[in-house]
Amino acid sequence: SWTVQATNAGPSDAAGVVVSDTLPAGFTFVSATGGGVYSAPTNTVTWTVGALANGASTPVYTVNATIPSTASGSITNQAVVESTSADPSSANDLDAVTTTLGAVADLIAGASGPGTAAPSTQITFTVSVTNVGPTTATGVVVSDTLPTGVTFVSATGGGSFAAGVVTWPTITSIAPGSPATTFDVVVDVDAGTSGAITNIVGVAGTEVDPVPGDNRATSVTTVAAPTPQLEPVSQPTSATRSVFTATPVLETRHLRSP
């Protein structure tokens, strides 16, 4: 952002005062305070002030713009004040400020893990960082903040664990467009853990990052105890009952008298 202000140093009041601010080439206009009107063809913001009394100043206007991802080196913003009144010292009607831009590298964090897990099991989170440019990223630091409810086991790439965070040795440089640099983190899911747990990955480099919002990534794992599997019990479809019928047998005896 830039700030712009005009002052009437006299000796008379000024009429028809107009203040303008020309953005550096390639910059994208975002907003302007004080009713500034932006013109895309000239990449200029204009304020129509009108009369400005002797010794008076305009409000301080602020112009916000987005730096292009390919910008580097020095950029110049130029402000001009004009009036329909005669100006005895027109040389100071223009002012400019030059800013030196550092290298720009857009780092993107990546995070992935299992969608579901069970308590008392072991899972793996994958962490990544990618540089989409336009310049080489240097001094890149990658960190992984583990969720509560897990216990750190190990990390590839020399990652070290402390106070709930895994941090890797600083990466000297990552060229733009090169394959993602990835690391794995192995953790044990604690026995009492349940519900959603979130793993958070963060990346940062030395260069200016034009899109800082993608320096952070998350992955969510839902922890739930497995559903018990019931074994089916076989039941007979029909039963046959044997029925025994006892038939009395009658026996006739002839008794002889003595």
Side-chain angles (χ1 to χ4, degrees):
S1 64
W2 295 271
T3 57
V4 180
Q5 186 179 42
T7 299
N8 180 7
S12 304
D13 294 346
V17 176
V18 176
V19 178
S20 62
D21 183 62
T22 302
L23 303 181
F27 278 60
T28 302
F29 172 76
V30 175
S31 64
T33 63
V37 177
Y38 174 69
S39 171
T42 59
N43 207 25
T44 300
V45 182
T46 302
W47 295 266
T48 301
V49 179
L52 189 63
N54 177 21
S57 297
T58 67
V60 176
Y61 305 122
T62 300
V63 180
N64 299 304
T66 301
I67 303 172
S69 61
T70 55
S72 61
S74 298
I75 52 100
T76 300
N77 179 270
Q78 179 176 282
V80 175
V81 59
E82 299 172 292
S83 171
T84 56
S85 303
D87 191 332
S89 181
S90 59
N92 60 8
D93 291 351
L94 181 150
D95 193 22
V97 59
T98 299
T99 304
T100 300
L101 299 177
V104 176
D106 182 11
L107 293 176
I108 300 177
S112 63
T116 59
S120 301
T121 60
Q122 195 168 88
I123 61 175
T124 299
F125 296 122
T126 298
V127 174
S128 68
V129 56
T130 305
N131 178 18
V132 296
T135 62
T136 297
T138 61
V140 178
V141 176
V142 181
S143 63
D144 183 22
T145 302
L146 300 182
T148 56
V150 303
T151 300
F152 174 77
V153 175
S154 65
T156 61
S160 58
F161 176 76
V165 180
V166 182
T167 304
W168 283 267
T170 300
I171 302 171
T172 303
S173 64
I174 302 177
S178 59
T181 301
T182 61
F183 306 105
D184 288 334
V185 179
V186 179
V187 299
D188 287 332
V189 181
D190 298 342
T193 302
S194 63
I197 59 174
T198 302
N199 189 50
I200 304 172
V201 175
V203 299
T206 303
E207 292 68 31
V208 174
D209 195 315
V211 191
D214 57 17
N215 293 166
R216 182 179 183 272
T218 61
S219 65
V220 178
T221 300
T222 300
V223 179
T227 303
Q229 299 295 318
L230 301 177
E231 294 292 334
V233 178
S234 178
Q235 296 289 342
T237 57
S238 62
T240 302
R241 184 175 62 180
S242 298
V243 178
F244 297 93
T245 303
T247 302
V249 177
L250 300 179
E251 181 180 351
T252 303
R253 288 186 174 183
H254 296 280
L255 299 176
R256 293 182 182 182
S257 300

